[in-house]
Amino acid sequence: MANRQRACDRCGTVYTYKRSTSRYCGSSCRALGPATATVTTLPGTREAPSPARTGTATYDAAHAELTAAGRAETLLGVALLALAARIDNSRAETGSSLATLTKQLEATRAAALADADAAADPVDELRRIRQEKARAAAG
């Protein structure tokens, strides 16, 4: 008989399972389910990918925009980063919930950056100064 042990998806306790589809060590963990799940890797098995190592493009882009605008520490900025992190780690989300999250992300982004200075990009600022000098010299 093969080794019939695995780690509980919720608490990480190693238990002997009866069914191959078993995911939890007992009824209390099954009742709480994935809401408070932790991932534990048994010796000799592959390590599960951590959320920090999966895609973070949305979070990184939102953080860069907020930092450039000086809004990363505001309430809306923190809310925007939380939404971006949830979108990046959306393995359990359905298509419609992901669409809703994306729509809310855009609305929160617009609110967080509503009064931000548009001249945050140094290249754009230099271009603007050069154009003003050219106009002053021509006129």
Side-chain angles (χ1 to χ4, degrees):
M1 183 182 264
N3 181 7
R4 297 180 63 92
Q5 291 190 330
R6 69 167 47 124
C8 176
D9 281 0
R10 184 187 162 276
C11 69
T13 302
V14 177
Y15 69 99
T16 303
Y17 63 89
K18 296 175 186 168
R19 292 180 161 184
S20 62
T21 57
S22 170
R23 295 179 55 203
Y24 304 106
C25 63
S27 59
S28 61
C29 284
R30 187 172 37 256
L32 293 173
T36 57
T38 60
V39 176
T40 302
T41 306
L42 291 174
T45 61
R46 266 188 13 189
E47 183 179 333
S50 115
R53 286 184 278 158
T54 59
T56 59
T58 308
Y59 182 90
D60 292 344
H63 189 266
E65 275 189 309
L66 289 169
T67 302
R71 302 285 174 92
E73 301 299 322
T74 65
L75 181 61
L76 284 171
V78 172
L80 178 66
L81 293 176
L83 283 167
R86 186 163 173 193
I87 289 170
D88 282 339
N89 298 310
S90 63
R91 288 172 272 163
E93 303 288 346
T94 63
S96 62
S97 67
L98 190 57
T100 302
L101 284 172
T102 305
K103 185 175 181 180
Q104 185 60 47
L105 177 87
E106 183 54 36
T108 306
R109 181 190 162 281
L113 300 174
D115 299 326
D117 184 17
D121 186 15
V123 174
D124 289 340
E125 183 64 20
L126 289 172
R127 185 176 293 128
R128 184 188 62 77
I129 291 170
R130 187 174 56 189
Q131 288 172 347
E132 286 177 4
K133 285 181 180 180
R135 276 191 225 119

